[in-house]
Amino acid sequence: MLCASATNLKIAEREPIVQCVQIKPLPPQPNGQERYRAVFSDIYNYVQTMLATQANHFVTDGILRKGCFVRLKSFQANAVKGKKILIVLDLEVLTELGECEKIGDPKPLESKAEDDEKNQPTTISTNGFYGTKAQNTRAQGSIRPEQARPLSTSAHATIYPIEAISPYSHKWTIKARCTSKSNIKTWHHSNSEGKLFSVNLLDDSGEIRATAFNEQCDMLYDLFQEGSVYYISSPCRVQIAKKQFSNLSNDYELTFEKDTIVEKAEDQHDVPQIRFNFTSIGDLQSVEKDTTIDVIGILKDVGETTQITSKTTNKPYEKRELTLVDNTGFSVRLTVWGSTATNFNVMPESVVAFKGVKVSDFGGRSLSLLSSGTMTVDPDIEEAHKLKGWYDAQGRSDTFTSYASMSSASTTGNGRLDQYKTIAQIREEQLGMSEDADFFSLKATIIYIKQDNVSYPACPSQGCNKKVTELDPGQWRCERCDKTYPRPEYRYIMLINVSDHTGQLWLSCFDEVGRLVMGTTADHLMEIKAEDEKAAGEIFQEAHCRMWNFRCKAKTDHFGDQQRVRYQVSSAKPIGYSEEASRLADLIRSYNIE
């Protein structure tokens, strides 16, 4: 009865109601978030869609399922290799309609006539489910600052979300806020010289970095102002992002060309001010060195400005060290540089949000604000309000575990890493099954190392570490750096089985831990393995049956339709028997046996 009534649903003009007939995860992308593909049907036709990352929770929470009915509230088209893909930005699952088998016999949306017009891009927007041909509303041409003029939204009937931009996108216009603008930088080489500046652009769907070189640098530098909203229209080169120069998670970046059009928007209020993707201070021990993150905390302490001299450039730099705390019970040192350090005047106990800070393993864990990063004091966002409420209620009197003192898994203090667990306790307490990650220390013996896929070929560029692909013998391609190298640098990505007196557990290890466990680099191990399998096997055998103190993180992740707990080692050290004896003595005393 319910399914029969559902067949009578009409597609609304602005928010069509459709049935989900298929949903599955997309293949993982390097340094990218998990993405999902969904197929929606209006009974007569079906269309391929990709969920924007902000809509992922509908799948991960189990709300969006095959057979359910959905109202598409916000969506946008993108052409990928000649096929129209709908980017779904927001939707509503109509739970009151329930679920049922696929209704009707829907046909693909693409038709032969449309295939003949593949060079005439079709745009799907919330003004029409099947789309209309994009109209070229104005002549293409480069714009100089004195030519910039505000346009009404009606002059840009079709606005692309930033998240939909890819090298396959053509004839798009985005409406975005400039959240960061660099100074003009120059370079002088033996065969070239020039200048450039970069901006970070933000809309509801995401962020992207854009760079202007030479002529475009002169034309656009004065036009772009931090905080202002702009229309930016192709042609504009889209390429793989150079992560070493950006603090954004987007896999792509833009380069302004001579015909790129940049216009200041009349409406400056319908685009977000800034977007954060915070990592809590307590989670920093599980973040790899050199990762770029966003962090928010209470400013607990402000150090004096000091000066250091760079060993590479021999130039002096001003620096100031700050101490941040949050409700995870941890504190971390964050360094700001240059004018940010000398002009710093934020009062202690303020909430400060940092976008674009680099994680270092110096002194346990520490942070450094990148030159492209930003700092916001008392931002008007939910995370800041919650943090301020917690600090005023109890945080002011709390004690915090400093990363500077956490050089081993047996750190003393009030932090969670003091809690040694047996494998039985880890399972009984269901560590990692909650929404937040759990951290613990484990004393265990390695009983098996999985030798398949023990390492991966990584980019040899400093700070990259992304997997490279062999194009031809002696040619290894890194898409992130956009370079080809004669050979990779192998890095560990190990799966080990450990045991204590209560059970066994599989742990994941990265390169730093792998070097400790194996006693050699992954590069050296792969060389030995290529020449002498038996010698490589002896190295693995030597690593077995050794006891370690592991610092671990337990976190639930999803693999296909399955949910599982992953145990990841953030650091390891051999057993220090003096420290271990003291720890066990303290444990005995804690029972207060008389």
Side-chain angles (χ1 to χ4, degrees):
M1 186 71 178
L2 179 60
C3 290
S5 64
T7 61
N8 297 319
L9 291 172
K10 301 292 185 181
I11 295 181
E13 182 181 356
R14 292 184 176 275
E15 296 185 351
I17 295 176
V18 293
Q19 184 184 26
C20 178
V21 296
Q22 188 184 79
I23 186 163
K24 66 179 184 179
L26 288 166
Q29 298 296 316
N31 201 36
Q33 291 181 275
E34 192 169 24
R35 304 298 297 268
Y36 294 94
R37 181 176 74 90
V39 179
F40 291 117
S41 162
D42 71 342
I43 303 172
Y44 306 106
N45 297 94
Y46 66 82
V47 64
Q48 304 272 0
T49 76
M50 184 169 67
L51 300 186
T53 52
Q54 67 259 32
N56 280 356
H57 67 92
F58 288 105
V59 179
T60 56
D61 294 345
I63 301 172
L64 179 61
R65 297 190 295 268
K66 183 179 178 180
C68 70
F69 296 92
V70 173
R71 176 179 285 112
L72 301 181
K73 301 174 70 176
S74 179
F75 47 91
Q76 183 69 59
N78 190 14
V80 178
K81 296 182 179 179
K83 293 185 178 180
K84 292 189 284 293
I85 300 292
L86 200 68
I87 308 295
V88 177
L89 303 174
D90 191 19
L91 58 86
E92 176 188 357
V93 178
L94 305 176
T95 54
E96 66 273 13
L97 296 181
E99 302 170 21
C100 65
E101 294 298 320
K102 181 175 70 174
I103 301 173
D105 185 22
K107 306 299 181 186
L109 181 58
E110 303 280 354
S111 66
K112 187 176 185 303
E114 288 173 321
D115 290 338
D116 293 338
E117 296 174 354
K118 62 184 178 180
N119 293 324
Q120 303 291 329
T122 298
T123 301
I124 301 177
S125 70
T126 51
N127 294 324
F129 184 54
Y130 294 124
T132 56
K133 290 181 184 176
Q135 300 298 315
N136 190 2
T137 59
R138 50 200 158 76
Q140 300 294 314
S142 60
I143 184 162
R144 300 182 184 277
E146 62 270 17
Q147 296 173 310
R149 57 183 179 86
L151 294 183
S152 65
T153 305
S154 61
H156 301 269
T158 303
I159 302 297
Y160 262 61
I162 284 174
E163 190 176 55
I165 293 177
S166 75
Y168 309 108
S169 306
H170 304 285
K171 295 185 179 180
W172 47 259
T173 297
I174 60 172
K175 184 179 183 182
R177 188 180 302 278
C178 173
T179 59
S180 175
K181 171 181 155 183
S182 73
N183 294 325
I184 292 179
K185 301 175 183 178
T186 59
W187 76 87
H188 301 275
H189 299 310
S190 57
N191 57 351
S192 69
E193 62 179 31
K195 53 187 171 181
L196 64 88
F197 82 97
S198 297
V199 291
N200 289 348
L201 302 170
L202 166 73
D203 71 3
D204 284 310
S205 71
E207 291 179 272
I208 196 166
R209 179 174 178 262
T211 303
F213 291 89
N214 300 327
E215 242 182 86
Q216 284 66 49
C217 177
D218 292 333
M219 290 191 295
L220 297 174
Y221 188 78
D222 291 334
L223 175 59
F224 276 109
Q225 299 296 326
E226 287 188 5
S228 295
V229 178
Y230 300 86
Y231 291 105
I232 300 166
S233 301
S234 60
C236 192
R237 184 147 49 100
V238 184
Q239 59 195 25
I240 299 294
K242 297 178 177 63
K243 297 293 186 179
Q244 65 269 38
F245 302 123
S246 174
N247 61 355
L248 305 182
S249 61
N250 202 315
D251 291 331
Y252 301 109
E253 64 183 18
L254 305 177
T255 298
F256 295 121
E257 297 185 335
K258 66 177 182 178
D259 292 327
T260 304
I261 296 177
V262 179
E263 300 159 318
K264 193 168 184 178
E266 186 176 279
D267 187 352
Q268 294 279 311
H269 303 291
D270 60 345
V271 177
Q273 294 287 336
I274 194 167
R275 177 185 292 271
F276 293 101
N277 184 20
F278 291 122
T279 298
S280 71
I281 297 176
D283 283 346
L284 290 178
Q285 60 245 25
S286 63
V287 178
E288 284 198 71
K289 177 191 172 189
D290 296 330
T291 303
T292 301
I293 64 166
D294 303 340
V295 68
I296 187 171
I298 300 291
L299 183 62
K300 193 69 172 176
D301 185 59
V302 180
E304 296 294 327
T305 303
T306 58
Q307 190 178 84
I308 62 170
T309 301
S310 170
K311 293 180 179 179
T312 55
T313 63
N314 205 32
K315 291 182 179 179
Y317 291 94
E318 305 292 331
K319 59 176 283 191
R320 188 191 295 263
E321 293 186 349
L322 316 174
T323 301
L324 293 181
V325 301
D326 69 5
N327 54 3
T328 62
F330 284 81
S331 69
V332 67
R333 185 179 72 254
L334 188 151
T335 304
V336 294
W337 304 86
S339 59
T340 305
T342 54
N343 300 329
F344 191 87
N345 59 358
V346 182
M347 294 298 294
E349 301 194 344
S350 300
V351 179
V352 189
F354 293 89
K355 183 172 185 63
V357 295
K358 185 177 180 180
V359 179
S360 167
D361 59 0
F362 179 73
R365 273 293 186 270
S366 58
L367 305 174
S368 178
L369 182 64
L370 299 173
S371 59
S372 59
T374 59
M375 178 183 72
T376 307
V377 181
D378 293 325
D380 186 14
I381 56 177
E382 182 181 358
E383 293 89 344
H385 300 319
K386 286 183 177 179
L387 204 56
K388 187 65 174 174
W390 157 80
Y391 189 75
D392 290 341
Q394 68 177 79
R396 188 175 278 107
S397 58
D398 280 359
T399 56
F400 300 91
T401 301
S402 170
Y403 279 103
S405 63
M406 291 168 52
S407 58
S408 72
S410 57
T411 302
T412 59
N414 298 322
R416 290 173 297 189
L417 289 181
D418 301 338
Q419 299 178 7
Y420 271 84
K421 301 288 184 182
T422 64
I423 292 174
Q425 287 175 321
I426 293 166
R427 299 192 187 282
E428 290 167 4
E429 297 174 17
Q430 296 185 324
L431 297 185
M433 294 295 288
S434 60
E435 185 177 341
D436 297 323
D438 291 310
F439 301 91
F440 60 91
S441 291
L442 171 67
K443 184 180 72 172
T445 301
I446 297 175
I447 59 173
Y448 180 71
I449 301 174
K450 190 174 181 182
Q451 297 188 29
D452 296 337
N453 301 320
V454 73
S455 64
Y456 72 97
C459 175
S461 293
Q462 186 175 5
C464 180
N465 300 334
K466 294 301 176 183
K467 186 176 181 180
V468 293
T469 306
E470 187 176 22
L471 303 178
D472 291 303
Q475 290 190 350
W476 295 80
R477 177 72 176 171
C478 177
E479 293 297 336
R480 177 176 176 178
C481 297
D482 196 20
K483 291 182 180 179
T484 301
Y485 300 93
R487 67 179 303 276
E489 177 183 331
Y490 284 89
R491 293 177 62 84
Y492 286 111
I493 179 167
M494 297 171 55
L495 195 60
I496 64 175
N497 191 251
V498 301
S499 173
D500 67 6
H501 64 287
T502 66
Q504 297 179 9
L505 195 67
W506 285 98
L507 303 177
S508 299
C509 308
F510 292 113
D511 193 62
E512 185 178 341
V513 176
R515 291 175 183 230
L516 283 173
V517 168
M518 300 301 295
T520 186
T521 65
D523 235 16
H524 186 224
L525 179 63
M526 294 304 291
E527 287 179 5
I528 295 174
K529 192 173 183 181
E531 297 174 2
D532 188 346
E533 285 272 359
K534 185 178 178 181
E538 290 175 355
I539 294 176
F540 280 100
Q541 192 62 35
E542 182 70 21
H544 289 155
C545 301
R546 295 180 62 189
M547 186 180 292
W548 296 85
N549 270 329
F550 296 104
R551 183 188 300 170
C552 303
K553 169 188 174 183
K555 178 71 174 176
T556 299
D557 65 9
H558 298 271
F559 184 76
D561 296 330
Q562 295 183 342
Q563 179 176 292
R564 63 183 182 181
V565 178
R566 185 183 182 192
Y567 304 99
Q568 180 179 314
V569 179
S570 57
S571 66
K573 64 171 295 187
I575 302 296
Y577 290 99
S578 176
E579 289 181 13
E580 183 65 11
S582 299
R583 184 184 73 82
L584 293 175
D586 290 341
L587 181 63
I588 293 170
R589 280 193 291 270
S590 69
Y591 285 96
N592 294 320
I593 299 176
E594 296 181 0

